[in-house]
Every structure is written in C-alpha cells, then in structure tokens.
C-alpha cells in the first residue's frame, strides 16, 4: 500500500462515527488483553499454590496435622480454603450437634459447607470471562457496522461528485476494510482465550470436587480415602464419629 493511502490516511479522514467505532474496538482490545494476561498469571499462581498445598496434604499423617497446615495456609489456594471450611464445619458439629456424621443431618452440614465453597471458588475462577465472551461476540459486528458506514460514505462521495473515481472512493472503502480487520483482530484472541479458560476452569473444578470428596472421607473417618487399614484393605465407608480436631500449640 502506498504512502498516500496508508492506514493513517484512512484513519485521518474518518468522521466522528468512524472514530467512535475505532475507539470502542480499541477499548475492547485493551480490556480483553489485560484480562487475558491477568487470568494467565492468576492461573499459574493458583496451580503452584495448589501443588504446594497438596504436597503438604499428602504428607499430613493425621487430621490434626492437616488442621495445623490449613490454619497456617488458610488462604493459600482454593483447596486450602475448602479444607478450612470443611474442618470448621466438622468442629462446629462436634461442639454443638451430634458426634456422628450419620446422626441428625450433621454430614449434610459438612457437605453443604463444602458445596458452598466449591460454588464460590467456581464463581471466582469464572470472574471476567463474561467480558471475553461479550468481546468475542460483539467485536465483529462493531467492525461490520464500521464497514457499512464506510461504504455509505463512499456512496455519498460518489453521489456528490457524480463520478466513481478512485480518489473519491478509496478513502471510505479503505476505512471500511480497516474497520472489518479491526473487529476480527479484537474478536479472535478473545474467543480463543475464552475457550481456553473455560476448559481450564472445568478441569480445575473437577480436581477441586475430587479433593472435596476425599476431604469429606477424612473428616468422617480420620483416615484418607486411599489409606489402607492394618489388614491391608481399604478403609471402610464413613460410619464413625467426627474426629476431634485440635490444633497444636
């Protein structure tokens, strides 16, 4: 493209509507890229914190040791917050309700606390994805509006001049093409990032739900789900009392 008909030339001769469309696309692009970078960093930090916490969880031999670790890392990651809420619910039931998870709905109280934390963590991970979805779906149409407006301006110039020469239509048509390209340039990264984060959040939610099930078993029996008994068999189903959780001094 020659210097006389570069992108700057097309943008310089845009009217208020064209500049407004470009401003909207630029704002959506900046917001979506900022969100993409923030979410990538957040996911990386969450993954590292989860790995560190799960390593400590596997090293914890008793529920009391896990309670100490959760007390020290209560807000380190979603898994730590889930364990904190589950242990707090079990302690509350032990002090104020029946001593068995199978009595008087105590197990439901603990499982409800775990479900509420799962829902909260899922909502936290999905925060901001609405903007990416809105950008991915609306940016092409915003660019299309700019394209239609540019073609309309080209037709106006042809009608006023009475001839369809290149110098009359090149500017508006070039502006229309810039609008189309701008809409696609904003929408494509947004839709790719949205699909990536949705898939990552689905996997994260599955891992958190699996940890919640294992945690409930630990709270119910005092033994981990995969911990064998003295005979080498798997631990029995939850039927015992809620173990007392006493933090070490």
């Amino acid at each position: 493209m020659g210097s006389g008909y570069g992108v700057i030339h097309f943008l310089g001769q845009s009217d208020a509507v064209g500049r407004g469309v470009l401003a909207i696309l630029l704002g959506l692009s900046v917001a979506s890229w900022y969100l993409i970078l923030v979410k990538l960093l957040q996911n990386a930090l969450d993954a590292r914190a989860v790995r560190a916490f799960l390593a400590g969880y596997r090293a914890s031999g008793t529920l009391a040791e896990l309670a100490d670790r959760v007390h020290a890392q209560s807000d380190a990651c979603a898994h730590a917050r889930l364990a904190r809420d589950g242990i707090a619910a079990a302690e509350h039931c032990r002090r104020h309700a029946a001593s068995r998870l199978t009595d008087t709905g105590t197990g439901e109280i603990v499982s409800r606390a775990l479900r509420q934390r799962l829902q909260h963590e899922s909502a936290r991970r999905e925060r901001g994805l609405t903007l990416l979805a809105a950008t991915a779906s609306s940016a092409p149409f915003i660019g299309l509006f700019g394209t239609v407006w540019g073609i309309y301006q080209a037709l106006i110039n042809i009608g006023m001049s009475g001839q369809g020469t290149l110098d009359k239509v090149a500017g508006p048509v070039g502006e229309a093409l810039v609008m189309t390209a701008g809409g696609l340039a904003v929408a494509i990264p947004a839709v790719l990032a949205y699909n990536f984060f949705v898939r990552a959040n689905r996997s994260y939610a599955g891992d958190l739900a699996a940890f919640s099930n294992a945690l409930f078993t630990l709270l119910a029996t005092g033994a981990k789900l995969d911990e064998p008994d003295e005979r080498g068999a798997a631990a029995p189903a939850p039927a015992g009392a809620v173990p007392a959780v006493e933090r070490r001094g």
Side-chain angles (χ1 to χ4, degrees), residues 22-108:
L22 287 175
I24 293 174
L25 291 176
L26 180 61
L28 289 175
S29 179
V30 171
S32 61
W33 275 108
Y34 171 79
L35 183 61
I36 290 170
L37 295 177
V38 169
K39 296 290 286 184
L40 286 174
L41 178 61
Q42 182 187 55
N43 288 3
L45 294 177
D46 285 348
R48 186 172 65 178
V50 168
R51 286 194 299 268
F53 176 79
L54 290 181
Y57 166 77
R58 297 186 184 98
S60 300
T62 64
L63 184 58
E65 291 180 3
L66 177 62
D68 290 339
R69 186 175 299 276
V70 169
H71 181 68
Q73 302 176 336
S74 61
D75 203 36
C77 63
H79 291 64
R81 291 187 289 269
L82 183 66
R84 177 195 63 195
D85 290 358
I87 291 174
E91 287 180 330
H92 177 82
C93 293
R94 179 179 58 84
R95 289 194 301 265
H96 303 290
S99 61
R100 294 168 60 90
L101 286 181
T102 55
D103 292 341
T104 64
T106 306
E108 178 61 25

Side-chain angles (χ1 to χ4, degrees), residues 37-246:
L37 295 177
V38 169
K39 296 290 286 184
L40 286 174
L41 178 61
Q42 182 187 55
N43 288 3
L45 294 177
D46 285 348
R48 186 172 65 178
V50 168
R51 286 194 299 268
F53 176 79
L54 290 181
Y57 166 77
R58 297 186 184 98
S60 300
T62 64
L63 184 58
E65 291 180 3
L66 177 62
D68 290 339
R69 186 175 299 276
V70 169
H71 181 68
Q73 302 176 336
S74 61
D75 203 36
C77 63
H79 291 64
R81 291 187 289 269
L82 183 66
R84 177 195 63 195
D85 290 358
I87 291 174
E91 287 180 330
H92 177 82
C93 293
R94 179 179 58 84
R95 289 194 301 265
H96 303 290
S99 61
R100 294 168 60 90
L101 286 181
T102 55
D103 292 341
T104 64
T106 306
E108 178 61 25
I109 295 175
V110 176
S111 63
R112 186 183 301 119
L114 296 177
R115 286 197 301 269
Q116 289 177 347
R117 174 51 59 180
L118 287 173
Q119 293 172 0
H120 178 78
E121 294 299 333
S122 177
R124 185 187 69 88
R125 290 275 296 194
E126 293 176 0
R127 199 171 299 156
L129 293 186
T130 302
L131 176 61
L132 286 179
T135 299
S137 60
S138 63
F141 295 101
I142 295 174
L144 179 61
F145 173 78
T147 300
V148 173
W149 186 259
I151 294 175
Y152 168 75
Q153 293 295 104
L155 295 176
I156 292 295
N157 289 342
I158 293 174
M160 294 179 61
S161 64
Q163 54 183 352
T165 57
L166 181 61
D167 60 332
K168 299 296 181 182
V169 300
V173 171
E175 176 188 348
L177 296 177
V178 169
M179 296 293 185
T180 302
L184 294 176
V186 173
I188 291 174
V191 70
L192 292 177
Y194 176 80
N195 292 333
F196 171 81
F197 288 127
V198 166
R199 182 179 179 85
N201 289 351
R202 189 180 299 119
S203 176
Y204 187 85
D207 293 341
L208 197 59
F211 176 75
S212 175
N213 294 334
L215 179 64
F216 184 86
T217 301
L218 177 61
L219 293 174
T221 64
K224 297 177 183 176
L225 184 61
D226 56 351
E227 183 177 340
D229 58 19
E230 295 180 354
R231 296 170 297 176
V242 178
V245 180
E246 298 180 357

